[in-house]
Amino acid sequence: MHMTAMHMSDRGLLALVRHEGIVPGPYLDIRRIWSFGIGHTGLAGPPDPGRLARGMPADLDAGIREAFRVFRADLGRYEAEVLRAVRVPLQPHEFDALVSFHYNTGGIAEAALTRALNAGNREAAAAAFLNWRRPASLVPRREAERDLFRHGRYPRGTIPVWPVDPLGRVNFDRPIRRLSEDEALALLRAATLPSPSISASPATPSPTTVLAPARWLTQLAGVVSHLTRRT
């Protein structure tokens, strides 16, 4: 198997997006950093979420396609970093699990699971996924990544699309849409098309239009947590 040619499989992409969820407008993550789509921040490159038009896009499908387009552009860096850190051949499901882990933690180069994997101890590598489990809401994700790595067991189910208000607050009480695998793949494959509904806007939103989503910080830690690091 040629490590340099590896990319996430479609099933791996869907598994990662399920963990992250989709917010088709700019939102503030748990560190009050403007983000967009599937965990994208300005540090990863354009677009700058802080300059996008606030609130939900007028065309929801176009907003989801844009989220997928940005996600695919960001993902290449994480795939390459996994391939640089891991020095042993990987099965596709192992690679998918490692990229999902790295996309969330950024820790592939320093993780004990990588050292164990490079030493040829896959069981120890699988167990070490759970070293990265803060906050506690991330434990189910780590367990799912471990099971994918160890057994090739991909998660199933719909992918939530969460609404966001003009002040960047996500309402995790009820998704605005749930994508089936076929719908998500169709939008993912169409993601190279530009989306005119996602545009830069310096305007300050009006506080009179703000929603009041419940359990904001608690749920956001579990769904949008790509910047969370182990302490």
Side-chain angles (χ1 to χ4, degrees), residues 19 130 133 135-147:
H19 290 313
L130 287 177
R133 55 188 180 195
S137 56
L138 285 175
V139 171
R141 175 171 182 163
R142 291 290 92 84
E143 291 174 338
E145 290 165 345
R146 176 200 62 196
D147 292 346

Side-chain angles (χ1 to χ4, degrees), residues 13-14 16-18 21-24 36-38 61-75 103 159-161 179-181 183-192:
L13 289 168
L14 293 180
L16 176 47
V17 176
R18 278 191 189 91
I22 303 170
V23 184
F36 169 74
I38 307 166
D61 277 1
I64 296 171
R65 284 197 302 270
E66 177 69 356
F68 276 129
R69 184 194 68 78
V70 174
F71 170 65
R72 291 300 298 266
D74 289 348
L75 193 62
Y103 193 83
I159 295 171
V161 180
L179 302 177
S180 68
E181 290 189 359
E183 289 172 328
L185 283 174
L187 290 165
L188 182 63
R189 289 164 180 164
T192 55

Side-chain angles (χ1 to χ4, degrees), residues 92-146:
H93 64 88
E94 294 174 328
F95 182 70
D96 288 346
L98 292 171
V99 175
S100 177
F101 166 82
H102 184 47
Y103 193 83
N104 179 238
T105 67
I108 194 69
E110 62 187 274
L113 69 86
T114 307
R115 294 193 296 273
L117 183 57
N118 286 336
N121 191 339
R122 276 172 158 76
E123 280 302 310
F129 273 87
L130 287 177
N131 290 354
W132 298 69
R133 55 188 180 195
R134 295 181 184 175
S137 56
L138 285 175
V139 171
R141 175 171 182 163
R142 291 290 92 84
E143 291 174 338
E145 290 165 345
R146 176 200 62 196

